[in-house]
Amino acid sequence: MKMIMKITAFIAALVMSASAVSCSSGKHAEIKKLSAKGGYAEKKLEFAYGDLGPASEFTDIGGKVGAVLPFTDELCYISKDGTRIFRDVLPDLDEANNDDIATIFAASEYGYLYWKMNRNVWVLSSDGTENQVSGLENIMYAEFSEDGRLFACNTMGDILEVDISTGDTKKVTGGNGIFSAFDIIGSNIIYIDDDGAHFYDIDSGRETEVPDALKDFLGSYRHERLTSGVAVDICRGNDDDIYIGCPDGLYRYVMGGNIIEQLIDGFVSRFGDPSDEMISLYCGEDGTLYAAFVSGVYSYRFDPELETAAASELKIYTLEKNNTVSKLISGFASENRGVKVDLQVGMKEGMTYSDAMKELTTQILSGNAPDVMILDGLDIENLIDKNMLIDLSENSEKWLPENDLLSNVVNWNDHDGKLCSVACRFRLPAVGAEEDELKKIHSYADIADLCEEYREKYDPKETFMGYYDVNDSVRIGLIYEWNRLFGSSPDKEALTEFFDSCKRIHDAEYAGNAEGSTYWSPDVTSENAFSARFWGALGYKIIATGAVNDISRDMSLLTSVDESVLGKKLSYRLGLNKDSRSFLPVCNIGITQSAKNADDAYSFLAYALKDKTQENGNDYDGFPVNVKALKKIYSRNVNDEYDYTTSLDVYGDDGKVKDTVELDIKSMDNAEVKAFDDYIKSLDEPVYIEYAVREIAESAGEKCLSGTETAEQAAEETMKQLELRMKE
């Protein structure tokens, strides 16, 4: 039986060097950056069927190296010349008639581990025997060792060995928190959890030392620091080395050393694109590297003539790293290889907002200001008052695209003709419930009334708000009430009413309710998960709150609700009440007065606003502001390419499933497009949430929710803290 990674003396080197490096050197990892000339070139392998999709990790079956596709029971394997992907049906999977496989976690000539549509995990042995696996309901990753042993990890922090012939599992060790990497190199499971990087020797059954260089480097990608869905994957090379793929690029580490060499930058490759997701790495016998992404398989070969030196440097600052910013930078860097992008994240590695602001101030005063600032969360008014941002209207020809923009959104922060920031995207606050009950909602207090009414009438063990966190009534409430609370000046009476509503919603949601908090989707923050909650309302009593983010995912779902199928009439409203025209401007970009590279800064802004960039945003980035991009997305209703059918369990008032229905999710039709387009063109109430103010309100709100302060006391504390902040 063959596996991808043939291990000889490498096994010994892996264990021995781990001890030697960590005990003797004590040195931190040295990252060797790209040289000025010569580097690895990325090329997508030809594949006649488009994207690869949710395939397995690379495996070697019958001498063919590739990834196994669910649904089709096929191995997509790399051609001998390394330029194309071919498909080959796998008889053992095909004979098992597994048409309901959703995800394949591990595949080899020893068998397969997969997740079926019914959410159960199954194992198929090489003799064709299929068994359900126990203990892996929350599976994350799985790998076969070279000798055919199967190991997997789950979201509970457990690492288990799976018996391929029976499906039985045995816990071998445990991690701490969520895993962000899980690979087997030789006899070692290499995994990353919330504590950092670990080696676990499957032969001896004990944890071994991790080389210091790897410990530092891999530890930086532990789960709480990852902001995208891109995986960290590790594979063996051909010379006692390993390769690491991560959001920052592709790296090589030689066992026993302290140098980790960067082979390709994440900004100019698939590795750094948060709209894609890496599946697996593989090193060929000739040294060619391959990476499987959802979008396809890519090769990485060394080209001695490749120009990698940058002619200029562009410094970009953001308070918090997120997928929207990462994708923008990745796309810009790919189109502008001569520009080296230096992304500076303010709140990195546990830094507070206050720490980040002190560091930024020091940076600016020392003459090292960023060129571009992603202003989301920052005190824009303060930056404008201190004349730290360029008036973009004076050089609009350098960044304004040829086609129209939604000027009411883009220019929301116009000050008497002076434009120091522009919004590249926006979100829309929304509320949803059954139609008759939605008519009762005109304020956040009305939502509190309805939540209390639901708790009195319906199953006490069910969630009505679909929160991610017990403090969500405050954070989500702020997107509706921000301008009323903190508009021209803080309003104590409004704050008292707001905290009272938050407390009533919280108490009703969690009153004797062990199942109150429900994680609807891991891909979006709670305040932006409106459509996920509305989806919950299709099956049961849910008051959907939060923001709507995009057309293809959110608006298509909202406009596809069919009363004849559901047996009840659900409805939603953009805005808290019928007169609301509020929106949340996001990805707000400004250029600093002291920018040393203003030309590339303008080019970056132009890239962010052009139609192709706007059209290809992530689902949760927010709506485009480019009119041409919007029209392109609207036009999708002319065919059914983006339509799909899904099933949904519908619950009765007693909390029990009474029916399962199928829903057709379709793109908006012409009438729906016109209504939506008219609405967004009438938006005139920007809701810009400043991080420091939100932090003050949430801190006081948390005390109110826990019962240690009344609503009035929470309002007084908020007012006091805001006054202190104004004096700083």
Side-chain angles (χ1 to χ4, degrees):
M1 300 294 182
K2 291 194 296 183
M3 289 291 291
I4 291 176
M5 301 169 187
K6 294 291 184 182
I7 311 296
T8 53
F10 180 71
I11 298 176
L14 189 64
V15 178
M16 292 174 64
S17 64
S19 176
V21 172
S22 60
C23 294
S24 62
S25 69
K27 295 180 180 179
H28 293 290
E30 177 185 340
I31 307 300
K32 181 180 178 182
K33 291 293 186 178
L34 300 171
S35 58
K37 191 171 185 179
Y40 281 76
E42 179 181 74
K43 184 177 181 181
K44 186 174 184 179
L45 275 62
E46 296 180 26
F47 187 41
Y49 301 92
D51 291 352
L52 187 63
S56 74
E57 290 205 354
F58 280 118
T59 186
D60 185 333
I61 298 178
K64 297 175 180 177
V65 174
V68 181
L69 290 179
F71 305 114
T72 63
D73 304 331
E74 292 174 314
L75 176 69
C76 293
Y77 64 94
I78 301 169
S79 62
K80 291 182 179 179
D81 63 3
T83 62
R84 299 187 64 186
I85 296 293
F86 294 108
R87 303 199 306 181
D88 192 13
V89 173
L90 295 167
D92 43 1
L93 268 183
D94 190 47
E95 290 171 7
N97 294 316
N98 284 306
D99 295 331
D100 57 349
I101 296 177
T103 304
I104 296 177
F105 289 96
S108 78
E109 290 187 336
Y110 295 104
Y112 305 87
L113 183 75
Y114 43 78
W115 198 4
K116 290 191 175 184
M117 297 294 286
N118 61 8
R119 297 296 182 95
N120 293 323
V121 180
W122 295 75
V123 65
L124 179 68
S125 64
S126 58
D127 64 5
T129 303
E130 186 183 50
N131 288 288
Q132 187 171 341
V133 180
S134 60
L136 278 179
E137 290 76 14
N138 298 308
I139 185 172
M140 289 192 69
Y141 306 108
E143 290 261 338
F144 279 97
S145 66
E146 188 190 42
D147 59 1
R149 296 170 69 184
L150 177 59
F151 295 86
C153 63
N154 60 25
T155 58
M156 309 303 290
D158 301 323
I159 296 177
L160 305 99
E161 182 169 5
V162 182
D163 188 320
I164 304 171
S165 61
T166 65
D168 295 335
T169 58
K170 178 181 68 175
K171 181 178 176 179
V172 296
T173 189
N176 178 27
I178 300 295
F179 296 92
S180 55
F182 184 86
D183 290 281
I184 299 179
I185 306 292
S187 64
N188 277 278
I189 297 175
I190 303 178
Y191 66 95
I192 306 172
D193 64 8
D194 287 353
D195 289 335
H198 305 265
F199 279 13
Y200 179 84
D201 190 309
I202 60 177
D203 289 341
S204 66
R206 61 184 178 86
E207 189 164 336
T208 59
E209 292 284 348
V210 182
D212 283 351
L214 277 183
K215 189 173 185 178
D216 292 341
F217 182 75
L218 293 178
S220 67
Y221 295 100
R222 59 184 183 269
H223 184 267
E224 70 267 24
R225 297 186 187 177
L226 287 178
T227 57
S228 74
V230 181
V232 176
D233 199 68
I234 305 166
C235 78
R236 174 192 172 254
N238 297 320
D239 300 301
D240 288 350
D241 53 358
I242 62 173
Y243 292 93
I244 304 163
C246 60
D248 292 315
L250 181 60
Y251 294 81
R252 176 177 180 258
Y253 172 69
V254 177
M255 297 306 299
N258 286 303
I259 296 176
I260 295 177
E261 180 184 8
Q262 186 181 42
L263 305 182
I264 191 166
D265 196 320
F267 283 147
V268 296
S269 64
R270 300 308 299 175
F271 292 98
D273 188 344
S275 66
D276 209 346
E277 184 172 351
M278 187 174 66
I279 300 169
S280 182
L281 279 181
Y282 164 64
C283 179
E285 293 181 358
D286 64 351
T288 300
L289 296 165
Y290 298 91
F293 292 83
V294 169
S295 65
V297 177
Y298 297 77
S299 66
Y300 300 87
R301 291 186 173 90
F302 185 78
D303 179 356
E305 299 302 317
L306 183 68
E307 295 286 347
T308 59
S312 61
E313 182 180 49
L314 180 67
K315 295 180 180 178
I316 300 177
Y317 181 91
T318 180
L319 183 62
E320 297 179 291
K321 189 176 180 181
N322 58 60
N323 284 356
T324 306
V325 173
S326 297
K327 184 173 175 61
L328 267 182
I329 293 174
S330 177
F332 176 79
S334 295
E335 290 189 8
N336 298 271
R337 292 297 185 103
V339 181
K340 178 186 176 183
V341 179
D342 178 14
L343 176 62
Q344 302 168 354
V345 181
M347 293 176 63
K348 58 183 181 294
E349 299 182 4
M351 287 184 66
T352 65
Y353 177 85
S354 178
D355 292 337
M357 291 302 95
K358 290 176 183 177
E359 187 176 88
L360 177 62
T361 301
T362 301
Q363 185 178 337
I364 293 172
L365 292 176
S366 65
N368 194 29
D371 302 300
V372 174
M373 294 187 73
I374 310 296
L375 297 162
D376 294 17
L378 296 175
D379 186 348
I380 298 180
E381 296 303 312
N382 184 44
L383 294 172
I384 293 174
D385 290 343
K386 292 183 177 179
N387 198 34
M388 295 176 68
L389 299 175
I390 286 176
D391 181 1
L392 298 172
S393 63
E394 293 181 353
N395 294 288
S396 59
E397 73 282 355
K398 294 184 178 181
W399 59 270
L400 199 62
E402 294 180 359
N403 38 291
D404 292 338
L405 300 176
L406 289 174
S407 59
N408 57 319
V409 174
V410 175
N411 303 340
W412 70 271
N413 203 26
D414 183 284
H415 285 257
D416 299 322
K418 187 176 181 180
L419 185 64
C420 293
S421 69
V422 296
C424 295
R425 292 188 173 272
F426 66 100
R427 298 188 171 104
L428 296 171
V431 62
E434 293 190 28
E435 187 175 60
D436 290 342
E437 292 166 342
L438 182 63
K439 293 176 181 178
K440 303 175 185 177
I441 297 176
H442 308 286
S443 67
Y444 201 50
D446 292 336
I447 293 177
D449 291 341
L450 187 58
C451 187
E452 288 178 324
E453 180 183 326
Y454 277 8
R455 182 55 66 211
E456 290 178 4
K457 289 183 178 180
Y458 305 115
D459 190 339
K461 293 184 179 180
E462 290 295 333
T463 176
F464 295 129
M465 303 303 294
Y467 284 155
Y468 284 34
D469 185 86
V470 293
N471 298 319
D472 273 351
S473 61
V474 177
R475 174 161 291 199
I476 294 174
L478 287 173
I479 71 174
Y480 302 112
E481 300 279 0
W482 186 272
N483 289 348
R484 187 170 78 95
L485 301 176
F486 308 111
S488 55
S489 62
D491 186 322
K492 180 183 175 182
E493 184 177 341
L495 279 165
T496 301
E497 182 182 341
F498 172 72
F499 286 127
D500 177 69
S501 297
C502 294
K503 174 66 170 171
R504 291 195 293 128
I505 292 172
H506 174 274
D507 288 353
E509 172 70 349
Y510 293 97
N513 178 22
E515 301 174 15
S517 183
T518 301
Y519 282 79
W520 291 104
S521 169
D523 301 321
V524 60
T525 56
S526 187
E527 65 269 31
N528 298 321
F530 175 81
S531 65
R533 294 189 179 93
F534 192 77
W535 177 256
L538 299 179
Y540 193 62
K541 292 284 185 181
I542 295 290
I543 306 167
T545 55
V548 181
N549 305 278
D550 91 314
I551 294 171
S552 299
R553 182 190 293 260
D554 288 354
M555 292 306 301
S556 294
L557 185 150
L558 298 179
T559 56
S560 296
V561 174
D562 189 338
E563 181 184 5
S564 64
V565 173
L566 296 171
K568 59 181 178 180
K569 193 164 186 178
L570 289 171
S571 189
Y572 71 94
R573 182 193 305 127
L574 298 177
L576 188 56
N577 55 64
K578 65 178 182 179
D579 297 321
S580 174
R581 292 296 182 271
S582 64
F583 66 97
L584 296 124
V586 294
C587 197
N588 296 278
I589 296 179
I591 298 174
T592 62
Q593 286 281 7
S594 52
K596 295 178 181 178
N597 189 1
D599 288 341
D600 285 332
Y602 280 118
S603 296
F604 178 79
L605 179 55
Y607 173 82
L609 290 170
K610 73 177 185 178
D611 57 300
K612 288 186 178 179
T613 305
Q614 293 262 306
E615 182 188 341
N616 295 323
N618 295 330
D619 290 330
Y620 295 112
D621 283 349
F623 295 99
V625 295
N626 187 295
V627 173
K628 184 177 180 181
L630 280 167
K631 289 180 178 178
K632 183 71 176 294
I633 298 171
Y634 291 157
S635 68
R636 291 173 180 171
N637 67 339
V638 300
N639 57 53
D640 59 2
E641 180 182 354
Y642 294 88
D643 298 348
Y644 61 95
T645 300
T646 187
S647 60
L648 174 75
D649 290 335
V650 178
Y651 293 79
D653 291 345
D654 58 359
K656 296 180 180 179
V657 176
K658 69 175 184 179
D659 196 9
T660 299
V661 299
E662 288 192 346
L663 291 176
D664 293 324
I665 308 300
K666 299 182 178 181
S667 300
M668 292 190 292
D669 61 29
N670 290 336
E672 291 163 342
V673 164
K674 185 179 186 308
F676 177 79
D677 196 59
D678 288 344
Y679 179 81
I680 63 175
K681 288 177 179 176
S682 68
L683 297 172
D684 59 5
E685 301 171 33
V687 179
Y688 179 76
I689 295 181
E690 189 183 333
Y691 189 97
V693 178
R694 187 185 71 181
E695 195 173 44
I696 290 171
E698 288 184 347
S699 177
E702 185 174 350
K703 295 174 184 176
C704 179
L705 299 185
S706 66
T708 58
E709 287 188 355
T710 65
E712 185 175 4
Q713 288 171 331
E716 289 174 351
E717 180 181 335
T718 302
M719 296 290 290
K720 180 180 178 180
Q721 293 300 320
L722 289 174
E723 288 173 6
L724 290 173
R725 180 174 176 272
M726 290 294 292
K727 294 176 181 178
E728 292 179 353

